[in-house]
Amino acid sequence: KDTGHVIINQTNNILQFQKNLKGDPTVVIPKVYLEYTTPQVLVMEALNGTPMSQLEKLRGQGVHPELIVKRGMRLFFRMVFQDKFFHGDLHAGNLFVMPGDKIGLIDFGVVGRLSDKVRDSIADMFVSLAQQDYERLAHVYVEMSPYNETTDVDQFARDLRDLIAPYFGLS
């Protein structure tokens, strides 16, 4: 891989997240030390938090899981619906719980950018899920995807219902 391109890309992504999330007291994006960063080395602030992958340690620290989940969802919705620029590799190893129940993010190598049309389709999918409207969900999904006239949208809707419906009403 061209490491210079990767480092420049990650640096630009971090700076964009810092700009987008400036003023949000619930999120921590590491500071990039541009004066030390080169095309081969990205130098940034270390986040002194606990990775979300360390659940037992978080429980022992008295972390408020419901608050973290709410903040995480708010962050996700902001990235997708407001900024249309989102972290594309959100897993427990890239998410930290920081002091004050803040969420810290690292690893900005994979990001996504959304058009208005895709953002609106994602919103339609969430509404369809909330209303358990599997036919609409199937149609929105198929409209967003490459498909042809042999796509059986009705069967797809039934498959979605069979897959998702058992989870409604669960905690």
Side-chain angles (χ1 to χ4, degrees):
K1 275 187 171 179
D2 175 12
T3 58
H5 177 72
V6 171
I7 298 297
I8 291 168
N9 226 13
Q10 280 211 38
T11 302
N12 288 337
N13 292 342
I14 294 168
L15 295 174
Q16 185 64 53
F17 275 102
Q18 287 172 343
K19 178 181 173 188
N20 290 354
L21 299 169
K22 184 179 180 179
D24 185 336
T26 67
V27 181
V28 178
I29 306 296
K31 178 182 187 235
V32 176
Y33 295 98
L34 293 172
E35 64 272 22
Y36 302 113
T37 295
T38 71
Q40 290 75 36
V41 178
L42 171 59
V43 181
M44 62 184 180
E45 168 187 24
L47 295 187
N48 295 316
T50 303
M52 286 194 190
S53 58
Q54 297 180 8
L55 293 177
E56 290 306 315
K57 185 174 181 181
L58 289 169
R59 286 186 182 114
Q61 293 172 339
V63 167
H64 303 96
E66 290 174 2
L67 178 61
I68 296 299
V69 168
K70 285 179 183 177
R71 287 182 173 176
M73 291 304 298
R74 238 183 255 119
L75 174 61
F76 172 79
F77 284 122
R78 177 183 176 156
M79 287 189 288
V80 170
F81 295 112
Q82 181 178 326
D83 301 333
K84 298 184 289 183
F85 181 77
F86 63 94
H87 193 296
D89 195 18
L90 290 177
H91 59 76
N94 287 342
L95 296 161
F96 289 79
V97 177
M98 309 293 291
D101 288 332
K102 296 178 182 180
I103 297 175
L105 299 176
I106 63 167
D107 190 358
F108 299 87
V110 179
V111 300
R113 289 173 174 79
L114 299 172
S115 67
D116 289 342
K117 181 179 186 223
V118 171
R119 180 203 54 203
D120 293 348
S121 293
I122 292 170
D124 285 346
M125 292 172 87
F126 277 118
V127 170
S128 299
L129 274 170
Q131 295 175 343
Q132 298 185 51
D133 184 347
Y134 301 106
E135 290 76 23
R136 173 117 179 93
L137 179 61
H139 282 279
V140 173
Y141 190 90
V142 168
E143 288 171 11
M144 290 178 55
S145 307
Y147 67 95
N148 59 39
E149 63 279 346
T150 63
T151 301
D152 185 345
V153 180
D154 293 330
Q155 181 60 49
F156 183 46
R158 287 190 294 276
D159 291 343
L160 285 170
R161 183 193 61 237
D162 292 346
L163 178 70
I164 298 168
Y167 296 99
F168 273 92
L170 299 180
S171 62

